[in-house]
């Protein structure tokens, strides 16, 4: 499942931190206004802290250079409730 957020460059780092705090993020892709991919950051459960420093430095540099960008978020986890199907019942057997 993927979702896209459009943000101004000055809000890029703040929005990414917010998205990561929400959880179950598998991959972040940052694109410029023209849709060109600037950086792709794969995330896993154990990747935090010092392992993210190079990615944060790159994201900060991108935020300083772009005016508007979009963040494409790919998430792990269960799909929506609409994917579940009810179990059919036999009403004919009640007689």
């Amino acid at each position: 499942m993927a979702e896209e957020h459009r943000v101004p460059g000055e809000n890029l780092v703040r929005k990414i931190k917010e998205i990561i705090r929400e959880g179950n993020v598998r991959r972040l892709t940052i694109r410029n206004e023209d849709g060109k991919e600037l950086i792709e950051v794969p995330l896993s459960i154990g990747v935090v802290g010092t392992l993210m420093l190079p990615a944060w430095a790159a994201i900060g540099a991108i935020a300083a250079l772009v005016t508007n960008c979009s963040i494409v978020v790919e998430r792990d986890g269960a799909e929506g409730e609409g994917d579940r199907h009810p179990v059919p019942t036999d009403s004919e057997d009640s007689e």
Side-chain angles (χ1 to χ4, degrees):
M1 179 170 89
E3 58 191 58
E4 185 172 341
H5 303 273
R6 296 193 180 275
V7 295
E10 65 265 9
N11 295 337
L12 180 63
V13 173
R14 182 174 51 86
K15 183 65 176 178
I16 289 176
K17 287 181 180 180
E18 178 183 310
I19 290 168
I20 291 173
R21 273 193 299 264
E22 290 173 5
N24 73 347
V25 177
R26 181 172 29 135
R27 179 183 320 266
L28 291 174
T29 305
I30 300 173
R31 297 183 179 157
N32 66 6
E33 292 177 281
D34 300 326
K36 181 180 177 188
E37 186 176 303
L38 302 175
I39 187 172
E40 182 177 314
V41 182
L43 300 172
S44 63
I45 293 173
V47 178
V48 291
T50 58
L51 295 177
M52 284 292 295
L53 286 178
W56 284 120
I59 291 168
I62 290 169
L65 295 174
V66 298
T67 53
N68 291 306
C69 59
S70 61
I71 306 167
V72 179
V73 181
E74 294 179 31
R75 295 188 184 270
D76 283 333
E79 295 295 321
E81 293 290 324
D83 293 342
R84 296 183 184 169
H85 302 287
V87 177
T89 58
D90 292 329
S91 59
E92 300 173 359
D93 292 336
S94 61
E95 292 178 20

